[in-house]
Amino acid sequence: MTRGIWTRETVVLMLLASYLPLTLFWLWFGGVEALLRLGFVALVLAFWNLVFLLARAQPISLAFLITALAVAMLAPEGLGVLRLALAISFGAVMGELVFGGWGRNVVNPAVVTLSFLGFGFPGFPWPELAAPVTWAAIPAALIGVATGSMSLGVVASAAIVAVGAVATGALPPTVAPVAGIVLVLLVADPVTSATTLFGRWLNGALYASLVTLFAGGWHGAAPVQVAVAAALLTSLAAPLLDEMALGIWYEQRRRRHGRN
Amino acid sequence: MQQGAALARLHKASDVCFVAPMRARVARIELLQGHRLAEIVLFREPEDEAVRHDTSGADNEAGLRRLMQTAGFWPWLRRRPFGGMPGADERPAAIFVMATDTSPLAPDPRMAIEGQEEAFGRGLHALTRLTDGPVFVCQQPGPPLFDGVPARGRLRSVDSGPRHPQGAPGLRIHTLFQASIEASVWDLHAEDVAHLGALIATGTLPMSRLVSVGGAALREGRLVRTQPGADLRGLTHRVTKPGPHVVLSGSPLDGHPARWLAPRHRQVTVLPGVKKGPQRHWLIGALTRSAAPKPVIPNAAIDQAFANALPAVAFVRALMSGDEETAMKMGLLSLLEEDVALADYVLGGEMHLAAALRAMLDRVRSEFAE
């Protein structure tokens, strides 16, 4: 009779609201060039969403704007239109649309796009984000957690591990801010991160640990590249983390109730 | 018929009776196909006169069971897994007395049993004779609702939070003593326990219950004492706002449109009628509706909708994909439709979780329990 509001599109709108400070700061420092890049990525994604709407009757979700923002912010520079369009098409179609659209995907389409670009065109320089833009990740995370669209566990555990790693000198201070942006844009994505309470804490901690590991052991890699690679491996590991958390939960219940 | 006289008996267990809630005349009996009973409509008769049952055997378990069944108390019990009235000779592993009701617009059970504390205590002690396991009294934080020596430590008072669904019976059972196919768990309302105490003392089962009448289509809400099966139009007469409206038996979350108050319900909700918007273009409809339901996006709202008692997203996914074994491991057998009603509401009503849960429970019953 009455209906609540937490449908797929509400979560997308809340995520978009939390990315607003990040987007504004990035556009402010990037100027018209950044705006054009965002518009182009959004256009390609909109095209593929439209194709899947007409061919497979998959309703369009505004989530493609989040993917567009992540790709436009983090993709290597100077790629040209064709290479970028190719990578976005691969990421959006193989990462998200063939699984049935946003909410049924296993990996984040932006992560697939960025990894594709990293492996396919390694010669192009990764972007360097201005310091104020990286600071804008903090309000983004706060809004996301407050509206419940990002999980507190992922963000908090990643922050705790990262602070510890920076304090001990394991994580260079140049990588940490970029890792924060990737955390907010890609890792904290509610669909591809872990869904259980403990799994989320593991998820954030694993991401921060991988970033620390890559930053220390991967010579010559740009901070964005390090963070995106860590995000890819983390999202692939998310179902495993969930399974571990569920295993622990089953065992706890079996001990308490003596049966499953 | 006198109040408390048997109107109908179960075919396979003739002790289990459905009784008249007041002195009344049978107006109409409706049968479904195959002579299944649909409803018996009664007209009230003026004088109050009630059947007195023999309470001499209430000290032992067999006598108490017989008294509860012949006096019409048995249908007020509900069993898990699968829901519904327990079998005539079923023995539960635990009993939950719900002295808290957190669903929206629900009446406060403490108010319902005010002045009947002695009968409530007597009813609780009687319940301990029906099971070898614990009897939990779920209540809001505050002074305990019963005193005296707990029966060999089996009578336990547990506090639950004030927000829905922290006091939902299914989630309390899931947390404290989960039901399984071999070990069923019963739950009943605190007011019914007080009535059981009165039945044991006097031989007459009181039929009144505290019912809240509320909802957005009413000029004012009210609390009334009425009987199970009361006419909902009578209860909402003169307080309904003009215009189309829907009368539900039950809470706004899990109620269903009805004419009569359903057996275990203590709420009547009146909601404004929903106007149908203009019809969408057929092409837009074809493109957007064919992929329904849309996937569940994990967020804090859905975790809260199960009071963080179980891995919410994993459970919803298991439910929607028909994965019975995973759902059973996560606590499916302790839950009924009303426990997932909030999650259904929160997710926008697209998922039809209650229907999916019922379908899965029916499948589990046919595969594992029969």
Side-chain angles (χ1 to χ4, degrees):
Chain A
M1 285 297 141
T2 51
R3 288 172 163 206
I5 58 166
W6 288 97
T7 58
R8 178 171 81 154
E9 290 314 297
T10 315
V11 181
V12 174
L13 289 179
M14 290 299 151
L15 281 173
L16 283 173
S18 58
Y19 294 140
L20 214 52
L22 197 63
T23 318
L24 290 179
F25 271 66
W26 176 67
L27 287 177
W28 180 262
F29 285 91
V32 180
E33 198 188 328
L35 191 63
L36 283 176
R37 201 168 146 101
L38 180 62
F40 173 70
V41 179
L43 197 68
V44 178
L45 286 168
F47 167 75
W48 280 113
N49 273 274
L50 192 67
V51 168
F52 273 78
L53 173 72
L54 295 173
R56 300 269 306 268
Q58 267 172 219
I60 291 183
S61 161
L62 280 179
F64 80 88
L65 291 176
I66 299 171
T67 313
L69 177 68
V71 172
M73 271 182 88
L74 302 171
E77 285 163 343
L79 280 164
V81 169
L82 206 63
R83 293 192 188 94
L84 196 56
L86 181 70
I88 297 165
S89 304
F90 176 76
V93 174
M94 300 311 286
E96 177 187 293
L97 293 169
V98 293
F99 293 104
W102 195 68
R104 298 202 166 91
N105 48 325
V106 184
V107 281
N108 190 317
V111 173
V112 179
T113 306
L114 295 169
S115 308
F116 181 86
L117 286 170
F119 290 122
F121 311 108
F124 291 90
W126 290 86
E128 282 174 17
L129 297 162
V133 181
T134 55
W135 283 107
I138 294 174
L142 289 180
I143 298 173
V145 171
T147 55
S149 50
M150 286 183 202
S151 109
L152 175 68
V154 173
V155 176
S157 62
I160 291 167
V161 173
V163 166
V166 170
T168 55
L171 182 64
T174 49
V175 179
V178 177
I181 288 203
V182 173
L183 169 72
V184 173
L185 274 176
L186 305 178
V187 181
D189 168 21
V191 177
T192 54
S193 57
T195 60
T196 49
L197 193 64
F198 185 53
R200 284 169 178 160
W201 285 85
L202 288 178
N203 192 319
L206 176 68
Y207 166 70
S209 314
L210 285 175
V211 169
T212 311
L213 181 72
F214 293 162
W218 189 352
H219 297 292
V224 175
Q225 196 176 7
V226 164
V228 168
L232 176 68
L233 288 183
T234 310
S235 67
L236 290 177
L240 180 70
L241 300 177
D242 268 341
E243 205 56 38
M244 282 163 59
L246 280 177
I248 294 169
W249 186 74
Y250 291 147
E251 184 57 29
Q252 276 176 345
R253 281 189 68 79
R254 204 180 57 76
R255 267 193 214 155
R256 180 195 274 189
H257 297 290
R259 58 205 149 92
N260 254 324
Chain B
M1 310 290 294
Q2 287 183 351
Q3 178 188 331
L7 279 170
R9 290 173 192 279
L10 283 194
H11 184 62
K12 287 180 180 165
S14 56
D15 271 353
V16 181
C17 300
F18 295 86
V19 301
M22 60 200 165
R23 187 174 146 78
R25 194 154 40 87
V26 176
R28 194 176 74 233
I29 298 176
E30 253 182 49
L31 297 177
L32 298 172
Q33 282 181 339
H35 287 271
R36 281 184 303 140
L37 184 62
E39 63 179 36
I40 303 174
V41 181
L42 304 175
F43 283 155
R44 190 172 191 281
E45 292 280 294
E47 309 97 57
D48 277 341
E49 203 178 328
V51 174
R52 286 181 68 88
H53 296 275
D54 176 23
T55 59
S56 57
D59 301 342
N60 58 61
E61 189 193 335
L64 180 64
R65 266 174 193 273
R66 195 176 152 70
L67 175 65
M68 286 164 79
Q69 289 169 1
T70 51
F73 187 86
W74 209 249
W76 296 357
L77 297 168
R78 183 172 51 180
R79 76 182 293 270
R80 290 156 199 261
F82 312 127
M85 180 173 71
D89 45 7
E90 182 177 309
R91 207 174 157 78
I95 298 179
F96 278 72
V97 174
M98 298 312 296
T100 173
D101 192 347
T102 48
S103 56
L105 307 175
D108 183 8
R110 251 181 214 276
M111 191 192 281
I113 57 171
E114 218 170 50
Q116 307 175 54
E117 286 79 5
E118 198 190 330
F120 180 70
R122 200 179 306 120
L124 277 182
H125 285 279
L127 288 178
T128 57
R129 290 201 280 279
L130 294 176
T131 173
D132 293 328
V135 175
F136 294 94
V137 181
C138 300
Q139 59 168 38
Q140 293 293 316
L145 287 164
F146 58 92
D147 49 26
V149 184
R152 298 193 297 277
R154 290 199 288 126
L155 206 51
R156 292 183 209 163
S157 179
V158 283
D159 289 346
S160 51
R163 279 177 290 125
H164 195 57
Q166 289 170 334
L171 294 172
R172 299 309 294 153
I173 292 172
H174 171 77
T175 309
L176 295 165
F177 197 102
Q178 65 176 353
S180 66
I181 289 172
E182 300 82 33
S184 67
V185 175
W186 294 358
D187 73 283
L188 72 167
H189 196 269
E191 196 179 9
D192 294 343
V193 178
H195 290 347
L196 175 65
L199 169 69
I200 292 168
T202 63
T204 305
L205 184 62
M207 281 293 175
S208 69
R209 62 172 54 175
L210 189 68
V211 172
S212 77
V213 182
L218 289 184
R219 279 203 293 272
E220 56 187 15
R222 44 156 78 163
L223 277 175
V224 291
R225 283 199 186 271
T226 185
Q227 295 139 337
D231 188 353
L232 300 187
R233 290 186 298 190
L235 292 181
T236 55
H237 188 52
R238 288 174 190 274
V239 288
T240 315
K241 282 183 192 165
H245 58 267
V246 189
V247 182
L248 306 180
S249 171
S251 79
L253 295 174
D254 63 335
H256 59 269
R259 167 94 195 269
W260 318 105
L261 187 64
R264 294 183 195 88
H265 282 172
R266 288 183 150 77
Q267 277 183 268
V268 180
T269 310
V270 188
L271 297 176
V274 185
K275 279 186 200 151
K276 276 193 176 172
Q279 213 169 10
R280 284 190 297 182
H281 190 268
W282 63 267
L283 181 62
I284 296 172
L287 290 175
T288 52
R289 248 178 295 153
S290 60
K294 290 189 183 129
V296 182
I297 310 296
N299 63 67
I302 178 165
D303 291 340
Q304 299 289 327
F306 286 103
N308 282 323
L310 45 87
V313 177
F315 180 69
V316 170
R317 284 183 181 159
L319 210 56
M320 296 310 292
S321 61
D323 183 354
E324 289 141 23
E325 285 185 16
T326 307
M328 278 163 74
K329 272 165 98 175
M330 289 179 183
L332 168 80
L333 296 178
S334 303
L335 303 181
L336 290 178
E337 288 96 324
E338 61 172 36
D339 304 309
V340 297
L342 181 64
D344 219 352
Y345 166 83
V346 159
L347 291 172
E350 282 180 356
M351 312 293 296
H352 305 292
L353 289 180
L357 182 92
R358 174 45 59 192
M360 187 173 270
L361 283 174
D362 288 345
R363 267 203 313 279
V364 170
R365 173 146 57 179
S366 64
E367 280 178 29
F368 294 90
E370 284 173 4

